[in-house]
Amino acid sequence: MSRRLVNVTLDNLDDLPRRCRRCVFWELDPVSGERAVEAGDPGLEKEAWISATLLEWGSCGKIAYVDGVAAGFVLYAPPLYVPRSVAFPTSPVSSDAVLLMTAHIVPEFTGGGLGRMLVQGVAKDLTRRGVRAIEAFGDLKWEQPGGCVLPADYLLSVGFKTVRPHLRFPRLRLELKTAVSWREDVEVALERLLGSMSPERALRPV
């Protein structure tokens, strides 16, 4: 079984699940988001956001492929590029952090460590770019896949710490020096999952 992480681009954007490909929850403010949905094709707004963010800031997402099949993805960007981020009661995101917007694992691939692999890929990318931390809004009442806000329990399980508590939407933070220190544990886990494939190769963006 081969696994690889690649950057999200306009060329592979259609590999996201259809619902996620059309979702602009994070990319637009609530009013603009509703207008995009009413206009009939929020997917165009998603594409425009990806294009602008890639041009102005750089890589803003990763897709994980398992045997050539898109199995999961993650999107991230500085809060300046994420209008929805200011709508949360625990905003704003810290000035030295990039916001982990959302992530999704296709149901048949859950439980295999892809979520941790995606976050580690983001951490390695942002560390190279001089970013100090990743922050995210978690949902303490997350019940089922399909929401745009990540479950707080998932964020805590991959190393995030709560920096702004809230009954529903705490803001969590992952210091990138902590993320880099995962390396040994992550390699052991990936060796178990990937067999003969090199963990370093699996985590290297293509």
Side-chain angles (χ1 to χ4, degrees):
M1 180 172 64
S2 66
R3 297 182 177 209
R4 62 192 179 106
L5 281 183
V6 305
N7 293 330
V8 170
T9 67
L10 294 177
D11 293 333
N12 61 23
L13 186 57
D14 286 339
D15 287 347
L16 270 58
R18 186 173 184 275
R19 177 185 57 78
C20 301
R21 169 67 176 83
R22 293 170 51 82
C23 177
V24 289
F25 176 87
W26 290 103
E27 293 84 354
L28 300 176
D29 64 76
V31 173
S32 298
E34 288 179 9
R35 287 175 180 164
V37 172
E38 290 170 1
D41 195 359
L44 289 176
E45 295 288 349
K46 182 87 159 194
E47 187 172 320
W49 183 89
I50 293 287
S51 178
T53 306
L54 285 171
L55 286 170
E56 296 172 14
W57 183 67
S59 175
C60 57
K62 303 280 185 189
I63 300 177
Y65 291 89
V66 176
D67 292 336
V69 176
F73 77 94
V74 60
L75 293 176
Y76 53 95
L80 178 66
Y81 290 85
V82 190
R84 175 73 69 157
S85 67
V86 298
F88 282 79
T90 49
S91 64
V93 173
S94 302
S95 60
D96 64 347
V98 161
L99 178 65
L100 179 64
M101 298 156 56
T102 193
H104 177 75
I105 305 295
V106 176
E108 52 264 42
F109 294 102
T110 57
L114 283 180
R116 192 176 180 93
M117 181 179 166
L118 282 165
V119 172
Q120 179 72 359
V122 174
K124 293 182 75 172
D125 175 37
L126 295 179
T127 298
R128 282 194 295 265
R129 295 159 74 175
V131 176
R132 292 183 57 188
I134 307 170
E135 291 191 0
F137 297 103
D139 186 351
L140 285 171
K141 298 183 180 179
W142 189 91
E143 294 180 352
Q144 60 184 4
C148 299
V149 183
L150 293 168
D153 286 348
Y154 162 71
L155 293 167
L156 291 168
S157 74
V158 295
F160 282 76
K161 306 295 183 187
T162 301
V163 291
R164 184 82 186 276
H166 187 264
L167 291 175
R168 178 70 187 271
F169 297 116
R171 178 160 51 88
L172 301 99
R173 180 179 174 95
L174 178 68
E175 301 288 345
L176 288 180
K177 60 183 180 181
T178 303
V180 172
S181 71
W182 289 349
R183 179 175 172 181
E184 185 175 339
D185 290 342
V186 170
E187 286 189 354
V188 169
L190 287 177
E191 283 175 359
R192 192 178 305 124
L193 290 167
L194 305 181
S196 61
M197 185 176 180
S198 162
E200 273 297 304
R201 181 180 173 191
L203 290 171
R204 186 177 300 131
V206 176

